[in-house]
Amino acid sequence: AKAVELAAAGIEKARQNKNHSLVAEGLDVAANSQISAKKYEAAEKLLDEALQIPAENERLQKARIYLTYASLRRSERKFAEAFGYGQK
């Protein structure tokens, strides 16, 4: 729960500073925390939001998010979908 709180505070500060890359990174961290807590639906919403954020280095940002999507699908035991995200 502490990681989620810290990520939320970081995301809010990054939004105030209009730092899109840090917002996306914070959402990714929060999603990983939700996956660890087995809150898969919440994790997916965070990742969906992160994908919509413009980035300075869009390829790297999307790669990180897709890796987290793969982790989410593995945690849900949806291995074929996890493999698909690993291929993006």
Side-chain angles (χ1 to χ4, degrees), residues 3-19:
V4 174
E5 292 172 22
L6 290 171
I11 292 165
E12 185 56 35
K13 186 166 185 131
R15 282 190 171 129
Q16 290 171 356
N17 293 328
K18 297 184 181 2
N19 187 328

Side-chain angles (χ1 to χ4, degrees), residues 32-47:
N32 275 299
S33 296
Q34 296 292 13
I35 292 167
S36 295
K38 297 185 177 169
K39 295 181 179 179
Y40 304 133
E41 191 174 314
E44 186 167 5
K45 287 180 183 178
L46 290 165
L47 292 170

Side-chain angles (χ1 to χ4, degrees), residues 20-74:
H20 301 299
S21 294
L22 280 180
V23 172
E25 188 175 331
L27 290 167
D28 187 55
V29 168
N32 275 299
S33 296
Q34 296 292 13
I35 292 167
S36 295
K38 297 185 177 169
K39 295 181 179 179
Y40 304 133
E41 191 174 314
E44 186 167 5
K45 287 180 183 178
L46 290 165
L47 292 170
D48 289 345
E49 183 179 347
L51 271 182
Q52 301 305 314
I53 295 173
E56 295 168 16
N57 189 341
E58 191 169 329
R59 282 184 166 170
L60 178 60
Q61 179 174 303
K62 283 188 175 186
R64 286 184 185 146
I65 294 166
Y66 285 137
L67 284 173
T68 305
Y69 267 117
S71 174
L72 169 62
R73 296 302 182 233
R74 280 192 306 275

